[in-house]
Amino acid sequence: MSDVECSFDDASCLSPQSPGSPSPTRKQNKETTFTINCVTFPHPDAMPEQQLLKPSEWSYCDYFWTDKKDPQGNSTVSGFEILLQKQLKGKQMQKEMAEFIRERIKIEEEYAKNLSKLSQNSLAAQEEGTLGESWSQLKKSLADEAEVHLKFSSKLQAEVEKPLLNFRENFKKDMKKYDHHIADLRKQLVSRYASVEKARKALSERQKDLEMKTQQLEIKLSNKTEEEIKKARRKSTQAGDDLMRCVDLYNQAQSKWFEEMVTTSLELERLEVERVEMIRQHLCQYTQLRHETDMFNQSTVEPVDQLLQKVDPAKDRELWVKEHKTGNIRPVDMEI
C-alpha cells in the first residue's frame, strides 16, 4: 500500500469490542448489511443478488470491492491497490520487453560485424574459373547480409524498442495520483464510519441513562423529577439525530468512494487494454521486420545460387589450361 494509505483492517477505525465479541473488522447490523474494514455490504441472506455493472465482461469495476488478505502478513490490501499493482507490473513487463529487444539488437549488430569481417577474409581467394566466381559472390553475399542485419537492428531500435520504452513516460506519476485520490476517499470513509460508531455508542449510553432514570422514578428509588426525565429524553433524541446525521454523512462518503472507484477502475481497465494493444502492435512489427530480413537475406544468396548453377568443371579446366598450358606437342618414340 502507498505510504499515504491507512491500514483499513486497523481496529481503530471501528468501535471498541469487548472480549468474545465478533471480529473488529466485521460487524453485523440487523442481518441486512455487514461491514468489512469500514465498507458496508448487503447481507446475502437479506437482499437479492446484485447484478454486475458490466455483465459478461469480467470488468475491473465488478470484482475489486472487498479487501484481500496480504499473504505476506496480517494486513489487508484494498481491491484498488491490487488494480494498481497490476498496472505497475504491466509497466515493468513493458520495460523488460524493451530490454529483451535491446539484447536482440546487440546480437544483430555483433552478427553483422562478424559477417562483414568474414566477407573480407582471404581464404580460398585463389580459386579460379566459374567456381572462383561463385566463391567470390558467396563472400560478397556475406557483406550484403551484414548490411541487411544492420538495417534490421536499426529498425528494431526505432520501431520496437524505442516505442516500448517511451510509451507512457509519466505512467507511475499518473498511477500515484489515482492511488492518492482513492486513498483519500477511503480515509474519509473510515473517518465517517468512526463517527457513526461514536454516535451509536453515545445513543446507547443516552438510552441506558433514560431507561435507568425512568425505572428509578417508577420504583421511587430516586427523587428525579419529570423535568430530569424530559431532559434525558431530549438528550437521547438528540443522540439519535446525531447518529442519523453521521450515518447520512457516512453514506455520502461511501457513495462518493463508490462512484470514483467505478470511474477510476474503468480508466485503469482502458489503460490496460491500450497497453496490451500497443505491445501487440509492436511485437507484430517485430515479426514483420523479421520476415523482411529473411526475404532480404534470401536475395543476397540468389546471385550465389545463380552462379553455382553455372559452375562447369569442363569450362574451368579449359580456362585454366589456356592460362597455364606449357605446350600441346606430345612426346613420340625416339628413333635410332
Side-chain angles (χ1 to χ4, degrees), residues 53 59 62 69 92 112 116 123 130 142 151 162 194 199 238 244 254 277 292 306 325:
L53 298 174
S59 176
D62 278 317
K69 192 85 170 181
Q92 179 62 26
S116 180
L123 291 172
T130 56
L142 295 187
K151 288 181 179 179
K162 191 174 181 180
Q238 181 62 46
M244 292 178 63
Q254 182 169 259
E277 286 296 332
E292 290 177 2
Q306 293 171 2
K325 63 182 180 179

Side-chain angles (χ1 to χ4, degrees), residues 37-86:
N37 294 346
C38 310
V39 179
T40 302
F41 298 94
H43 197 284
D45 296 335
M47 295 185 67
E49 183 179 355
Q50 290 181 334
Q51 295 298 312
L52 296 175
L53 298 174
K54 301 186 74 175
S56 305
E57 295 189 30
W58 291 96
S59 176
Y60 288 172
C61 68
D62 278 317
Y63 295 98
F64 293 89
W65 291 108
T66 53
D67 298 343
K68 187 176 183 180
K69 192 85 170 181
D70 185 354
Q72 304 300 324
N74 296 321
S75 61
T76 58
V77 180
S78 71
F80 187 74
E81 184 69 18
I82 292 174
L83 290 177
L84 282 181
Q85 290 172 2
K86 166 65 174 171

